[in-house]
Amino acid sequence: MTEAVFVQLLDLICGGVLLTAVLSLWRRELAAIVRLLVAQGILLALLAALLGAREHSTELYVAAAGVLVLKAIVLPAVLRRVLRDSGEAREAEPLVNVTTSLLAAALLTLLAYGISRPLVLLAPSATTRALPVGLAVVLLGFFVLVTRRRALSQVIGFLLLDNGITTTAFLATAGVPLVVELGVSLDVLLVVLVLQVLAARMRLTFGRTDLDELRELRD
Amino acid sequence: MPFEELVRVAAGSDPVAAAVLLVPLLAPMLVAVAAVVVGWRPAVAWSTVAASVAILGSGVVAAVATSDGSELTVGGMLRVDALSAVMLLVIGVVAVVATWSGVGYIDHEIAAEHTDARGAQRYGLLVPLFLTAMVLAVEASNLGVLWAAVEATTIVTAFLVGHRGGRAAVEATWKYVIICSVGIALAYLGTVLVYYASQHTGTGEAGSLDWTVLVAQADQLDPGVMRIAVPLLVLGFGTKVGLVPMHSWLPDAHSQAPAPVSALMSGVLLSVAVYALLRYRVIAVAALDGEFVRNLLLVVGLASVALAASLLLAQRDYKRLLAYSSIEHMGLVIIGVAIGTPLAVAALLLHILGHGLAKAVLFCASGQILASEGTTRIADVRGLLARRPVLAGSFALGLAALLGLPPFSLFVSELALARAAADAGVFWAVAVALVLLLVVFVAIAGHAAGMLFGAAPSGLATAAPTSTRAAAAPLVTGLIALAILGVVAWPLDVLLHAASIIAGTS
């Protein structure tokens, strides 16, 4: 693979990762957002595979396969189950409307480019120049987390955040050591499973998963 | 790590090190397996206590072996130095009090129909796993593994926080899991950035997340990258410590969890996250200028104490009162981390130990108060000292310890922290903290006076307190240990000194 092809593929994938994150702010149907997460998971696996092809690294191919299974198959399957059980197809009125969300997305992306300058400067290359994309997805995930009101939307925000960190890790360091990677993946999977059970309990106790119901404990 | 690998590694290393490092990891795991197989029984309950004693015992052996500055390692993945040994002691001591008092607690919960056999079994499984995760966090030589272990504590405690069920439990658990997972995810981003910086040091070695390697090359880590990584790490692990601005999960989770779990969360879980920050601070001050790191930590530490002080004043629930007191004490400890001199580190480690013990006693006592009074509202508990003298006495002495009164060890550690601050030229921070502590003192003493004295509410159904002596034993033991620590420094001062050299920088 020539350098030019590598850079083009890399930019394409990273652009796709950012796009899927922004689109999930735009869509309101939760099923559509889960599909966007699947697409983002596939892109992340492709990113790992692309880096693996360049560095002839078996470890990265293994990581790519792991990312594909976890982020494009297992986690979305869990989310779909929550969605099916809850019967709530749409995000309720989010705290911030779509236009403002998209505007915020643009600002957050700019912010990500601003703060990640030192990261790029440390070792300028095609991969590190794409680093701001990872941070932008982290910020977008954070934004979803604080502005959405359905339980499932918060889980999606957490997963976006995690995808952003995974992107950053692959671009910055071609992945963390495999043992850490394994621990992280397991942790994320377990968190989502825990949240799935909690969402079911929430439905049992409150009748729905609107987080506005969570206002009993305060000072 | 696969089991054969573990055995191979264990066989290949120093047998003492293997025993000291593996026993506290494996003993609770065995108990967890037993709980799954046979369910919640007295034997399982007492095995959990035995596992806690094993952790404490390993801590003692580790303390003896490492107080000369040496370390024990197993297979390059696990390492215990004096700092880890202190943390093992803290985990062991708090776990003994908490699990001991958990024996009677769960029986009572079943009798009162707050939980059933399945709930009790889940408790029997998750509590030892919680202990394992915390032990792994302080034994991991790799900061990535440390991260994964801290995150694992969130997962295993999730269903413990919501153990009682009901609306409030679901709410507390949801907030706990979401806020801590997000916070700790930010810490992971920080970890990734540290790894990135370590790949590009002048030494030309491949990057590493091993703490000793990182410390050795810390002054070559890129300051630009570290300036982004360090705030993320402080924010992330700070979430788990319960620091402002990510503290909001703590009062809910601590007040909802079963009393022995609250004791473990407040006494140990928070300090394990402080331990992570202590390790990272050594790297951060070498890579960046010390002022940046110190000011960052001072701001979050003082803000946490201030927030806790203001919310303690109007508190109406005694379990939440204890939770805010944890935020206050962790704020103090973080001020100690900010100062960062060897004296400050020794003082904050002693403070962590004292706070852990005091909180274990207090949360376990509050569980018994809840069981006997049926409410967590401060206003509804009156005249406790006359009706339940041993329980109320333990609660009162625990509070006295928490407020920094002699002879308990928090008096010694707070004085030492103040001295360290004065030596380091940040006396203003301590002056502010002292004013806030005065507010805390007035608030807690005022609330407690009403609970302990005052006229007993008329027409109170005085349920006959069952097995008072058995329930009081862990509390009294904890208080005695706390007083001994405050009076004689002898068993610990060498170890604390060794630990303060590892984590302290002048």
Side-chain angles (χ1 to χ4, degrees), chain A residues 115 119 122-123 128 145 151 154 165 172-173 176-177 184 187 191 195 198 202 206 211 214-217 219, chain B residues 147-148 151 155 167-168 171 173-175 177 181-182 185 188 195-196 199-200 222 225 228 252 315 320 324:
Chain A
I115 48 181
L119 304 179
L122 175 59
T128 53
L145 207 71
Q154 283 207 331
I165 297 175
T173 66
V176 286
V184 173
D187 281 339
V191 166
L195 289 174
L198 284 177
M202 208 183 281
F206 298 102
L211 297 172
L214 302 184
R215 47 176 66 244
E216 201 157 292
L217 299 169
D219 292 294
Chain B
W147 178 89
E151 167 69 37
I155 296 160
R167 295 171 74 98
E171 176 180 349
T173 316
W174 183 270
K175 283 187 193 164
V177 175
S181 302
V182 168
Y188 178 54
Y195 186 60
Y196 174 51
Q199 282 186 333
H200 296 278
D222 182 68
V225 173
I228 303 171
D252 296 348
Q315 202 43 247
R320 292 178 79 84
Y324 279 110

Side-chain angles (χ1 to χ4, degrees), chain A residues 10-11 14-15 17-18 47 51 109 111-139 163-175, chain B residues 189 192-193 196-197 199-200 225 228:
Chain A
L10 182 79
D11 288 349
C14 291
V17 169
L18 186 57
L47 176 63
L51 294 169
T109 310
L111 181 69
Y113 272 86
I115 48 181
S116 50
R117 269 183 58 81
L119 304 179
V120 182
L121 284 178
L122 175 59
S125 71
T127 43
T128 53
R129 261 190 284 273
L131 262 180
V133 169
L135 292 190
V137 176
V138 169
L139 292 175
N163 282 351
I165 297 175
T166 311
T167 313
T168 313
F170 279 130
L171 290 174
T173 66
Chain B
L189 183 56
V192 165
L193 293 182
Y196 174 51
Q199 282 186 333
H200 296 278
V225 173
I228 303 171

Side-chain angles (χ1 to χ4, degrees), chain B residues 212-223:
Chain B
T212 27
V213 177
L214 275 172
V215 170
Q217 51 172 238
D219 55 344
Q220 297 178 33
L221 296 172
D222 182 68

